[in-house]
Amino acid sequence: VKPWESPYATFSNNPIWFSDVLGNTDDKKTTANPNTTESIHNEKVELNKPKASIVNIIYTRATETAKSTTGTFTVDNGKVEGNFLEPPKGTEKETYTKGSNKRISEGTYDVAPYSSANHPNTYELQDVPGRSNVLIHTGNEPKDTEGCLLCGSSTSTDYVSDSKPKLNELRNYINAVKGEDQAYERRGKTKIVITITKSYELKTKEF
């Protein structure tokens, strides 16, 4: 430190952000960002930006039959509401076996956009234990799903209605959130998360 300078001169008067061990320069550099004076300012601006949004889908299983499981879902505290139909409960082995036509285990999963010839512009649950290609897509009856969640507006026995309009509503909401994150230059990417749970006691229908 030079005699006429403050003790904080070793850190360009900011000991939290800057590092200048010898105290012979006030270049605003850090060990993490050593390239330019501007780099530290850019980093500070980036850290000050809010994080991108998280879209939360809460799905509560409510009714099960020998052919299907149905329940209600809500997105971000009611921004979108609807129903899912999925396969019935299987054995523990079936629950965790790839290619199984039984429902997956309860839990919280990241969700990512997915598209294929059979299921364009849909969504895939990530890292499902023992399973793959577990999608949220359109369909109405148990025959339309092999371990996936069919989206709809209402349910009756082994049936979910208005699947395409409801999936479009869900997709439009997610895209709107993504657009807002981009418009406000929020940090990171918009995240989608689904939590699958059940009511205290699933209602079983027998026929």
Side-chain angles (χ1 to χ4, degrees):
V1 180
K2 299 176 180 65
W4 58 88
E5 291 180 325
S6 131
Y8 289 118
T10 54
F11 308 106
S12 288
N13 291 317
N14 194 330
I16 295 176
W17 280 99
F18 306 132
S19 176
D20 178 17
V21 178
L22 298 179
N24 55 11
T25 178
D26 64 350
D27 291 344
K28 295 177 177 58
K29 300 179 182 180
T30 67
T31 54
N33 243 311
N35 296 323
T36 65
T37 300
E38 293 181 356
S39 64
I40 186 62
H41 298 302
N42 292 338
E43 182 179 329
K44 288 171 70 176
V45 169
E46 185 67 21
L47 288 173
N48 286 332
K49 291 180 181 178
K51 291 183 179 180
S53 304
I54 300 176
V55 175
N56 283 294
I57 305 171
I58 306 297
Y59 167 41
T60 304
R61 291 168 170 161
T63 303
E64 60 184 2
T65 71
K67 295 180 179 180
S68 72
T69 302
T70 55
T72 59
F73 75 85
T74 182
V75 182
D76 289 349
N77 296 315
K79 297 296 177 58
V80 180
E81 295 180 330
N83 296 82
F84 284 130
L85 181 148
E86 56 180 335
K89 181 180 180 179
T91 64
E92 183 172 0
K93 182 178 180 181
E94 289 173 325
T95 300
Y96 298 101
T97 298
K98 185 176 181 179
S100 171
N101 63 348
K102 304 300 182 182
R103 73 189 191 207
I104 64 172
S105 58
E106 290 153 11
T108 299
Y109 305 99
D110 288 343
V111 178
Y114 176 89
S115 196
S116 68
N118 291 331
H119 300 294
N121 300 317
T122 56
Y123 298 94
E124 181 181 27
L125 279 64
Q126 306 292 294
D127 301 320
V128 179
R131 306 286 284 273
S132 63
N133 296 115
V134 178
L135 308 180
I136 298 173
H137 65 80
T138 59
N140 303 108
E141 302 174 278
K143 66 180 179 63
D144 299 326
T145 175
E146 295 181 0
C148 299
L149 285 68
L150 306 181
C151 190
S153 294
S154 62
T155 59
S156 56
T157 303
D158 298 326
Y159 190 85
V160 63
S161 67
D162 301 318
S163 188
K164 289 183 179 179
K166 183 54 65 175
L167 183 59
N168 284 336
E169 182 183 356
L170 176 62
R171 186 188 302 116
N172 289 340
Y173 175 76
I174 291 173
N175 288 340
V177 173
K178 288 182 177 180
E180 184 176 292
D181 283 343
Q182 293 171 358
Y184 286 93
E185 298 182 345
R186 291 172 179 150
R187 282 189 292 137
K189 294 182 179 180
T190 307
K191 189 174 182 180
I192 311 168
V193 175
I194 185 169
T195 298
I196 301 175
T197 184
K198 67 178 180 180
S199 56
Y200 183 73
E201 184 176 352
L202 281 173
K203 181 180 178 182
T204 302
K205 292 185 176 181
E206 297 181 1
F207 303 91

